Amino acid sequence: MRNGQERIQVLYELSLAIGPAETLEETVDRALSSYLKKLDCSVGAVLERVETSSGSRYEAVGTIPTDPWDGAFHIVRDQIPDGADNDAAFRESLPRTGQAERVSYCLMDLPEYGLLVLGRRGAELDARTVSALTPLNQKLADACETKRVQARLREERNRFEGVFDAMTEPLVSVIEEGVEPIIRDVNDAFEKTFGCAESAACGRRLTDLIVPEADEQSSDTTAGEAAERVAFGQSLSREVRRSTRGDIGDFLFRSVPVGTETAREYIGMYVEVTDERDRQRTFEQLYRETEQILSGEDRAAICERTIAAVEEVIGVPLAAVHLYDRTAEGLIPTATSESLSEAADGWPPAYGDRGTAVWETYQCGEPTPIIDGELVVEQLPGEDVPAESAAVYPLSSHGVLILATKDRELLDGAGYFFGRLLSATVATALDRARREEGLAAVRDVTQEALTAATHEQMAETALERLPYVLDFPLSAIWEYDPIEKQLHPIAQTAPADSIIGEIPVFEPGNSIAWQAFDDGETKLVSQTTGHADAYDPDGPIESEIISPIGEFGVLSAGSTREESFTPLDRQLIETLTANLRTAARLIDRRKDLRLLDQVLGRVLRHNLRNKLTTIQGNAEYIRDSADEELRPMVDSIVKASRKIEETAAHAREMRAVVNGSEETREVSLRRTVEQSLEELRSEFPAAEFRATFESSPTVVAHPNLAAAIRQLMRNGVEHHTLARQPVVEVTVAESDEGPVIEIADNGPGIPEHELDIFEMESESDLQHGSGAGLWLVDRLADYSNASVEFTVGDGTAVRLTFSQ
């Protein structure tokens, strides 16, 4: 673009074209057309990111032209991940521009949605324009995501469509808009009975169809009263006179709320008054029971209330709610009617056989009616099944509701319909209870983990409760070892120990767990059998969730059943691992602070007391003696004083290092080494310091990293006890693992016991101050994400390796 004013005008016109349209495809097409026109591009595409078991891949939602990948532009398509698990690195590289066979292209991120691809012949889009498009790309991503969510909500609503088609009575679906109840849908029976097509009824107020047409003078009053009662979620039951095909009939209109958390919705039914006295009472009971179920305190209370509702509303004497239990890998009876236990001892059983109607209903999410008595015995296995007909209703991912009766007609027609309405309400209530119970359990586990003294204790505390409070029986936690670059298991649940046995160590590229840790993203794998990246694709684990615990490690929850985990499970485990990351950091910080307190108390107390005693003793002797041999004593005083200064300096540095353990910044290794050499050459003029710079890398490290480098150089001189001149050689280079600083001296070599500082757990290991300098090196290296390696031979060589 030629100037800033033109750029602003183009961006403004682009923004007007971006926003949700009727469909996702229309939203993309309108925005994409504007992008191409305003930016002088000839090809473009919007791609949606889709998560699969093998990683992320991108699917085209809209393209201009229809197939933009023909010709030179196919080179651009090859740069986009397709099923590989490297999407995080790809997104970090965006925006990406380049040329392919005289076609300039630009790939830009649509945050949380996908990818925008633009191409044109000629010059590339300039960097300022690409940067200025960022907020517009966010707006396009939001618009696309809005349409995607709307599509999913429409899918959710489809679970009620079968009810409409199955019922022989006229049905109407109503949704509240403002204070008006507006008709959303009607079934075929409605059209046949009233001669009012769906297209004519939808969008009208409910009161237009329930107010008697002959009573025009009172229609305003009755309409207002009806609308108000429906709008405020109250049960509505009134007799209405409606024109039918060629006649006028009296009907009982009855509405029942079946709403979600985000909208008030109702199902209304028209039934001839002469046949509907019992059904009216059923609707009233269903409404009351729905309120009780939705207000249940926990899942157990909801299930018990459901059984009571079945008996009171539908009149089915035999009912059971089975909830999925991941520990047992089966559907376990959680609540059953009293008459059921009296009718058949041991029925219904727990269902673990995937071949039954119970499991098929649970897995496919569609209800299963079983009218034939022989099929009941076959599809609901168990001893002495006391039923001639049955129906199994899914309760979302939670389990199933089973209704059984000896009356074959009881679960046909209206009874089956009420069972569907009831199961939908129960699923909503269980969703809410599972979320609340799960978050409360995460909170409790976190509170206990925060009190742990070590990482192992934190992991064991969390895993001890996971099988029971979150239903994650097969779980384990791995801790990352930055030296070995491996994930080591530190704790697992008892069921995992019995089923899986020895937990493996994970290394780069050998598992999904390592990918989750390396990418910093949770992996939900619905089917691990045959998965290319699974550590053991033929093992007992069929599905799993692996969530990173920040830089600490990962938590994995597995199941011996495919597709065992839900998005809510993922949300709960991600909340838990985020909290465990905080707990691990607090444990490290508390450990450092405890150690620092011990070090400062022990080192300063011991050294200051002894050195001051020397000073005082020699000073008293000087005062009382006139002997000429005072020089050594004066030297002793000076030496002791200097030691006190060094100890105090170490203490101050140690406090500054620990207090700033979370701080990092970019550090030039060459400049840091050069400054340290300048200082030490002045401090030790008799020593020789050499430096070799094979590269000049910059790393992200603790701000006091120079203190560790100076300490290692100083050790090569201060502890040099040989007759030859002290020589310290410093090399800055690159390695396969990352930037390296190597410091070597020609001294006697550091004693082995001094290196124990890197494994110490208490202040006694510092040996009253002699190891304070190495402790400082250890902490600064850890806070700078670097490893320390000592080699002792003809002198000492120390290698600091920084992660890339």
Side-chain angles (χ1 to χ4, degrees):
M1 298 182 185
R2 292 189 296 273
N3 54 57
Q5 184 65 35
E6 180 182 356
R7 181 180 290 106
I8 292 174
Q9 180 65 27
V10 168
L11 294 176
Y12 171 73
E13 294 175 359
L14 263 176
S15 69
L16 296 179
I18 299 174
E22 185 68 23
T23 66
L24 175 61
E25 290 74 16
E26 292 176 4
T27 300
V28 170
D29 185 69
R30 186 172 66 183
L32 201 55
S33 298
S34 184
Y35 270 96
L36 268 57
K37 180 179 179 181
K38 300 300 179 183
L39 299 176
D40 296 326
C41 294
S42 56
V43 292
V46 170
L47 292 85
E48 178 181 347
R49 184 168 53 255
V50 179
E51 299 295 337
T52 67
S53 59
S54 60
S56 300
R57 59 185 175 85
Y58 289 82
E59 296 181 353
V61 179
T63 61
I64 298 177
T66 304
D67 189 0
W69 313 118
D70 287 342
F73 214 53
H74 75 276
I75 300 176
V76 180
R77 185 66 180 88
D78 293 340
Q79 297 187 38
I80 303 173
D82 186 15
D85 204 6
N86 59 354
D87 184 54
F90 170 72
R91 279 183 280 165
E92 289 179 2
S93 70
L94 300 177
R96 182 186 295 184
T97 60
Q99 287 195 341
E101 298 183 14
R102 293 179 295 179
V103 175
S104 300
Y105 64 86
C106 180
L107 297 109
M108 291 173 280
D109 188 28
L110 295 180
E112 304 299 326
Y113 182 77
L115 186 66
L116 172 64
V117 183
L118 299 176
R120 65 181 183 181
R121 294 192 177 276
E124 300 177 0
L125 290 174
D126 61 272
R128 293 186 62 184
T129 299
V130 173
S131 177
L133 289 175
T134 299
L136 297 183
N137 295 342
Q138 179 68 64
K139 184 178 181 182
L140 175 57
D142 293 342
C144 292
E145 182 62 19
T146 296
K147 301 310 297 182
R148 180 163 64 176
V149 170
Q150 290 175 353
R152 290 175 179 173
L153 291 176
R154 284 194 297 270
E155 292 177 3
E156 285 293 321
R157 296 195 53 83
N158 287 339
R159 62 184 178 179
F160 288 107
E161 298 302 325
V163 177
F164 275 71
D165 296 335
M167 290 299 294
T168 57
E169 292 86 352
L171 290 179
V172 59
S173 172
V174 180
I175 186 168
E176 179 184 332
E177 294 185 2
V179 295
E180 294 288 347
I182 302 300
I183 296 176
R184 186 185 67 84
D185 197 8
V186 297
N187 69 346
D188 292 341
F190 184 95
E191 296 185 24
K192 293 177 181 179
T193 302
F194 299 117
C196 182
E198 177 183 355
S199 58
C202 292
R204 296 179 61 183
R205 294 187 309 159
L206 174 64
T207 49
D208 292 341
L209 296 182
I210 64 175
V211 176
E213 296 175 340
D215 193 3
E216 296 181 357
Q217 294 182 349
S218 61
S219 62
D220 292 341
T221 302
T222 54
E225 176 188 356
E228 181 180 20
R229 295 183 67 187
V230 173
F232 284 87
Q234 299 179 11
S235 174
L236 176 63
S237 176
R238 67 182 300 121
E239 294 184 9
V240 297
R241 175 164 289 184
R242 294 294 304 162
S243 296
T244 60
R245 289 183 179 273
D247 199 353
I248 294 179
D250 293 324
F251 296 87
L252 177 69
F253 176 80
R254 186 74 172 89
S255 70
V256 172
V258 292
T260 66
E261 296 179 358
T262 58
R264 294 180 185 270
E265 300 181 31
Y266 311 89
I267 295 293
M269 178 184 292
Y270 291 89
V271 183
E272 293 186 18
V273 174
T274 54
D275 299 329
E276 189 45 31
R277 300 306 178 189
D278 292 338
R279 195 162 300 186
Q280 175 182 354
R281 184 170 57 254
T282 301
F283 264 110
E284 292 173 350
Q285 291 174 333
L286 180 60
Y287 179 76
R288 291 194 297 269
E289 294 299 330
T290 295
E291 292 181 324
Q292 293 290 327
I293 291 172
L294 291 174
S295 62
E297 294 182 357
D298 52 37
R299 296 205 299 170
I302 291 170
C303 294
E304 292 292 343
R305 192 64 250 174
T306 299
I307 298 301
V310 169
E311 296 174 347
E312 295 178 16
V313 177
I314 306 178
V316 173
L318 310 177
V321 175
H322 284 59
L323 296 185
Y324 174 64
D325 185 300
R326 199 170 281 115
T327 300
E329 290 295 2
L331 294 164
I332 309 302
T334 305
T336 59
S337 55
E338 293 185 5
S339 57
L340 188 58
S341 59
E342 297 174 358
D345 185 20
W347 196 92
Y351 290 100
D353 184 359
R354 280 23 176 199
T356 63
V358 176
W359 264 102
E360 292 177 1
T361 299
Y362 175 63
Q363 290 179 313
C364 73
E366 292 294 331
T368 303
I370 309 173
I371 306 302
D372 188 279
E374 294 182 1
L375 290 177
V376 171
V377 176
E378 178 183 337
Q379 295 297 322
L380 300 178
E383 296 182 3
D384 301 325
V385 181
E388 292 295 326
S389 66
V392 185
Y393 301 91
L395 301 177
S396 185
S397 61
H398 306 284
V400 296
L401 168 64
I402 301 176
L403 307 185
T405 176
K406 293 183 178 180
D407 186 351
R408 294 193 177 188
E409 297 182 357
L410 193 57
L411 286 176
D412 190 16
Y416 183 73
F417 162 72
F418 285 125
R420 293 198 67 168
L421 288 181
L422 181 63
S423 63
T425 299
V426 175
T428 299
L430 289 174
D431 281 339
R432 187 261 309 161
R434 166 66 171 158
R435 184 180 302 106
E436 292 179 355
E437 292 174 3
L439 291 176
V442 168
R443 179 197 61 212
D444 294 341
V445 171
T446 300
Q447 288 177 345
E448 292 188 22
L450 288 173
T451 64
T454 65
H455 294 155
E456 291 77 10
Q457 185 179 349
M458 175 197 74
E460 291 170 357
T461 298
L463 295 180
E464 183 179 0
R465 301 192 61 190
L466 281 190
Y468 314 106
V469 298
L470 290 178
D471 196 20
F472 295 148
L474 305 180
S475 301
I477 291 178
W478 285 259
E479 181 176 8
Y480 176 62
D481 185 331
I483 304 298
E484 299 182 5
K485 291 184 172 55
Q486 294 176 329
L487 287 167
H488 290 271
I490 59 174
Q492 61 182 323
T493 59
D497 185 50
S498 62
I499 293 178
I500 303 174
E502 183 177 355
I503 302 296
V505 174
F506 295 133
E507 299 177 344
N510 77 339
S511 62
I512 303 173
W514 183 269
Q515 292 178 357
F517 174 73
D518 195 39
D519 294 343
E521 295 181 353
T522 299
K523 306 292 183 183
L524 195 161
V525 184
S526 299
Q527 183 177 354
T528 59
T529 302
H531 194 293
D533 298 318
Y535 179 84
D536 183 8
D538 299 322
I541 299 301
E542 297 287 347
S543 59
E544 61 184 338
I545 300 180
I546 304 173
S547 183
I549 311 175
E551 67 282 355
F552 173 79
V554 296
L555 185 153
S556 174
S559 171
T560 57
R561 184 176 72 87
E562 295 179 358
E563 300 181 353
S564 177
F565 297 100
T566 67
L568 178 57
D569 290 325
R570 176 174 182 154
Q571 176 187 345
L572 292 174
I573 205 168
E574 285 181 334
T575 303
L576 176 61
T577 52
N579 292 344
L580 291 179
R581 176 188 184 186
T582 300
R585 287 181 170 180
L586 287 176
I587 290 171
D588 290 337
R589 188 63 180 269
R590 286 198 297 260
K591 179 180 175 182
D592 289 342
L593 290 176
R594 285 195 302 268
L595 185 57
L596 178 62
D597 288 340
Q598 294 172 359
V599 167
L600 292 178
R602 183 72 178 265
V603 171
L604 294 180
R605 182 176 68 249
H606 181 86
N607 287 3
L608 284 176
R609 183 177 61 214
N610 289 350
K611 303 310 177 184
L612 286 175
T613 298
T614 302
I615 293 172
Q616 292 169 358
N618 284 289
E620 289 175 359
Y621 190 87
I622 293 172
R623 181 192 61 193
D624 299 335
S625 174
D627 198 315
E628 294 182 357
E629 299 180 354
L630 296 179
R631 180 63 60 184
M633 299 174 192
V634 174
D635 292 342
S636 178
I637 292 174
V638 174
K639 185 177 180 180
S641 298
R642 288 178 176 172
K643 278 294 183 182
I644 293 175
E645 292 178 359
E646 291 178 6
T647 301
H650 275 310
R652 288 193 298 270
E653 282 187 316
M654 292 161 74
R655 180 180 293 276
V657 166
V658 174
N659 287 340
S661 61
E662 300 292 333
E663 300 177 15
T664 57
R665 69 181 184 189
E666 287 191 352
V667 177
S668 168
L669 296 187
R670 177 167 186 155
R671 185 174 180 182
T672 301
V673 169
E674 288 175 340
Q675 291 174 344
S676 300
L677 286 171
E678 182 179 353
E679 180 178 333
L680 291 175
R681 282 168 178 157
S682 176
E683 183 178 349
F684 301 103
E688 180 180 357
F689 293 91
R690 304 171 184 167
T692 301
F693 298 100
E694 298 179 6
S695 64
S696 301
T698 297
V699 298
V700 176
H702 191 282
N704 288 355
L705 176 64
I709 297 174
R710 288 195 301 271
Q711 182 64 45
L712 292 172
M713 293 182 186
R714 184 177 287 110
N715 285 348
V717 179
E718 288 184 337
H719 300 290
H720 193 285
T721 59
L722 303 180
R724 58 194 179 201
Q725 179 191 23
V727 177
V728 178
E729 298 185 10
V730 184
T731 302
V732 178
E734 293 276 2
S735 70
D736 293 339
E737 291 78 19
V740 171
I741 296 178
E742 188 169 297
I743 302 172
D745 62 59
N746 64 343
I750 189 171
E752 184 176 349
H753 71 272
E754 292 281 357
L755 298 180
D756 292 341
I757 187 71
F758 294 95
E759 302 295 334
M760 73 177 189
E761 296 292 338
S762 66
E763 53 84 21
S764 60
D765 297 312
L766 286 178
Q767 298 185 357
H768 314 313
S770 62
L774 289 180
W775 183 90
L776 195 67
V777 171
D778 175 61
R779 291 295 83 209
L780 284 168
D782 184 62
Y783 299 154
S784 300
N785 201 18
S787 61
V788 185
E789 182 180 356
F790 282 83
T791 302
V792 180
D794 186 12
T796 301
V798 187
R799 184 182 179 91
L800 283 172
T801 304
F802 297 85
S803 297
Q804 293 179 331

